[in-house]
Structure formats: C-alpha cells, structure tokens
Amino acid sequence: RKGIISAMVKKDKVIEIADRKEAISYAIKIALKNDVVVIAGKGHEPYQIYNGVSNAFSDYDEAKKVIESL
C-alpha cells in the first residue's frame, strides 16, 4: 500500500478508503462516462482476510450490486 501511494504522480488527487466495499462503491459512483474503474489487488477470491479472519466477500458481486443500484 505504501509503495503504491508513494509512487503516485499526483498525490493530492489520491483518496484512500480502507474499507474495500466502500472503496468499490465510491469508485463506481464517481466514474464518468468512458471512465475505466480498475478493482485491483485481491483478485477472484470469494473471501477477504481481515485481522486473520476470513470473511465472505466478492469484488465482482459488490461491483455488480453497486452498478445495478445506479
């Protein structure tokens, strides 16, 4: 995480959202026509490990829910 943010050219344009669900929702909702939203880092796994606990979570399902709510 530190490496990605420190490598950003325009750091003043970076918005860091720790909660993955909130971050996906935010990125999709602010996207404009012809924008591309890249959800990277976790991959295809249907779970998220947080503090050593595995929780059901799918980037795909979450993004789909947000898109369908628009």
Side-chain angles (χ1 to χ4, degrees):
R1 189 188 92 184
K2 181 180 177 186
I4 292 170
I5 291 174
S6 64
M8 300 290 295
V9 175
K10 296 183 178 186
K11 292 181 182 79
D12 60 323
K13 302 278 185 190
V14 174
I15 299 169
E16 184 176 359
I17 302 172
D19 183 280
R20 194 166 185 87
K21 181 176 180 176
E22 287 180 33
I24 291 169
S25 178
Y26 181 80
I28 292 171
K29 288 178 179 177
I30 67 162
L32 302 174
K33 184 178 181 177
N34 297 321
D35 280 354
V36 175
V37 175
V38 176
I39 302 170
K42 192 173 86 54
H44 65 281
E45 299 94 353
Y47 58 87
Q48 181 176 23
I49 299 173
Y50 186 74
N51 286 335
V53 178
S54 181
N55 298 295
F57 187 85
S58 165
D59 288 347
Y60 174 84
D61 291 342
E62 194 56 42
K64 185 176 177 187
K65 274 192 264 183
V66 174
I67 291 167
E68 289 174 346
S69 75
L70 299 178

